[in-house]
Structures are given as structure tokens and as C-alpha cells.
Amino acid sequence: MAEKTFYDEIVECLRLTRRNTPAVSVSDEVLKEFMTDVPVRPEPVSEPAPVPAESVMDAAPMPSAPAAPAVSASDVAAMGWDDLAAAVAGCRACRLCETRRNTVFEDGSRQARLLFFGEGPGADEDAQGVPFVGRAGELLTKMIAAMQFSRQEVYICNTVKCRPPGNRNPEPDETEACRAFAERQIELVNPEVIVVLGAVPLRFLFPNVFGGIRMLRGKWMEYKGIRVMPTYHPAYLLRNASAKADTWHDLQQVMAVFGKTPRRRGQ
């Protein structure tokens, strides 16, 4: 059996919504472009095992990794890709460096016209050093495909480059420690459109704008001359099926910028 497409996967969710709420009307073009409800398995959390109390006094302290030389925001602003990637890999500017396995820098094309901006790495991303490779990443890949792009054509990065323990939201000081890196990534790519995935990257780009992701999703914004479309994070969609149609509406607005239209079944 062929793998379900984005269109195939929204149909069950929206048909259920239509049945339970008859007033809701969804076009045929939307019905085949999202995902069915999938039971959400908790993401594995690879935390250190507790140390027995009796062994604490005898345990030798673990040597800490050598701190990389501090890099100023002005230094980062002048970096090219190689220097920027190296600076991220060696960064120890906040507490997240103490628990990471890998820094998570980027995926996709550095010449992309479309950039997806997320929150931060999870356990799978921390293990592989690539953004959006877990369950939420699988959904993002389907979203990108439904927009008639591939992951290799777009650029994907996050506000922070190290996984917050337990997959919590990054703290404000942690996002600030990564700000120069993320801003330089966006500047180097210089995309036509940024799709902001969730509340954390929305606040990162627009710290002085009133309103959260529910209020601002689907509304065009602008960041340093680049058009920005805020929408829900794929992880949120895995937990909240009712938000899938809204997200698809947002993505269709982005598609229109690139002259793309949703395909009907069989096209």
C-alpha cells in the first residue's frame, strides 16, 4: 500500500470534525493534505541515571569540557557559514551545553527561498544533530511535501541549538544566548518567506509584538524585510487535531507566494 500523503492524512480528521460540527465547511482541495490522528508516544528522555547516595562522596568529579572563547554578537554578524557552524558547535554560552549530546545547526538548502523556524531540538534531534527528525519532524516533512517543496529545497533551523532538558521550552536567557547565531542564519539564507512554527520562535523574532501564536497565526508579518507566516508547531498538531485545518490554511497562503496551488487527488 502506498504511503499516505499529506492530503490522505487530513481527511479522517476533517471528516470527523465535519460530522461532529456540521456547520464546518472544508473544500475538497484541503481534505487530502494533512494527517490522521496518530496516538502520541511520549518522546524518550535520555536523562542521566541517578547516582546512589552512598557513592556520592567517593565519586570523582567529572571533568568539564573546555570552554570555547567567547564570541561576541558583532563577531557572529560577520561570520560566513563555516565559521558560524563551528561557533555553534563549540558554544558554551548557556546551561544547555552541559546536557547536550550534539548541537543542532541546520537542515536543507542554504540557498532556500523558504525557511522554517522552530523552537529547539528534542531527543531525536539531540542524538542525530539534525533539526526536526522525530515525530514532529516527520509531520513537518509531510507539510513541506504538501506545499510542493522537499526538505532539500527549504531551510530548517531553531531558536536554540541545544536540547533543553526534558524537552521543556527554552528559557529567555537561553534563547538570547543563541540569538546572534539564529539571526545570522536567517541573514545568510535571506529567504523570501519564513514560516514560524509555534510561540517560542514567534516571540524570538517579534519580542515586542502583543499576542500569542493563536492570535497571530495565519497573519502575515515582516522581519527585516522578509515576509513571515506564523503557524502552529508540528508537535502541537500531534496533540491537537482540530488545529490541522488552520495550519493548512496558513501554509496555503505561503504556497500562493510561490505560485503554488493545492493539488486535487490524482493530480
Side-chain angles (χ1 to χ4, degrees), residues 215-234:
M215 179 183 296
L216 296 176
R217 57 138 292 269
K219 299 177 181 178
W220 283 110
M221 305 176 73
E222 185 175 302
Y223 170 79
K224 297 184 178 181
I226 302 170
R227 300 183 72 179
V228 175
M229 174 56 65
T231 194
Y232 293 120
H233 194 284

Side-chain angles (χ1 to χ4, degrees), residues 14 17-18 21-26:
L14 292 181
T17 301
R18 183 178 287 174
T21 311
V24 174
S25 176
V26 182

Side-chain angles (χ1 to χ4, degrees), residues 3-205:
E3 183 179 355
K4 291 182 179 180
T5 68
F6 209 44
Y7 278 112
D8 294 322
E9 293 181 338
I10 192 175
V11 62
E12 296 300 329
C13 168
L14 292 181
R15 281 178 176 165
L16 179 62
T17 301
R18 183 178 287 174
R19 186 178 67 217
N20 293 340
T21 311
V24 174
S25 176
V26 182
S27 70
D28 290 340
E29 288 137 70
V30 172
L31 283 180
K32 298 290 183 180
E33 196 70 22
F34 234 107
M35 54 169 275
T36 52
D37 297 329
V38 180
V40 179
R41 301 186 299 273
E43 189 173 1
V45 178
S46 302
E47 304 295 350
V51 179
E54 61 271 16
S55 66
V56 171
M57 296 299 295
D58 297 329
M62 292 293 292
S64 58
V71 180
S72 69
S74 60
D75 290 337
V76 174
M79 288 179 177
W81 281 115
D82 291 345
D83 289 339
L84 184 63
V88 167
C91 180
R92 300 189 64 81
C94 77
R95 68 185 73 86
L96 296 183
C97 71
E98 301 298 335
T99 54
R100 74 187 180 209
R101 296 175 65 184
N102 290 289
T103 54
V104 180
F105 185 56
E106 64 179 353
D107 194 25
S109 170
R110 293 173 176 178
Q111 291 78 43
R113 300 170 64 196
L114 176 59
L115 186 150
F116 289 84
F117 192 46
E119 177 181 312
D124 292 305
E125 292 77 15
D126 181 50
Q128 298 184 42
V130 180
F132 283 95
V133 292
R135 282 176 51 79
E138 292 173 2
L139 176 54
L140 178 61
T141 299
K142 291 183 177 183
M143 292 162 63
I144 293 168
M147 296 174 72
Q148 301 166 32
F149 290 94
S150 69
R151 278 185 69 119
Q152 292 72 35
E153 291 178 290
V154 304
Y155 190 82
I156 304 171
C157 62
N158 287 312
T159 61
V160 295
K161 314 307 179 188
C162 302
R163 178 195 177 206
N167 295 340
R168 63 167 172 78
N169 288 344
E171 299 291 343
D173 63 314
E174 295 163 353
T175 56
E176 284 306 306
C178 262
R179 177 171 291 280
F181 296 139
E183 289 181 342
R184 183 57 174 160
Q185 282 178 288
I186 294 171
E187 183 177 23
L188 286 172
V189 176
N190 191 27
E192 294 178 35
V193 176
I194 299 172
V195 175
V196 167
L197 300 169
V200 171
L202 178 64
R203 288 195 301 269
F204 183 96
L205 294 184

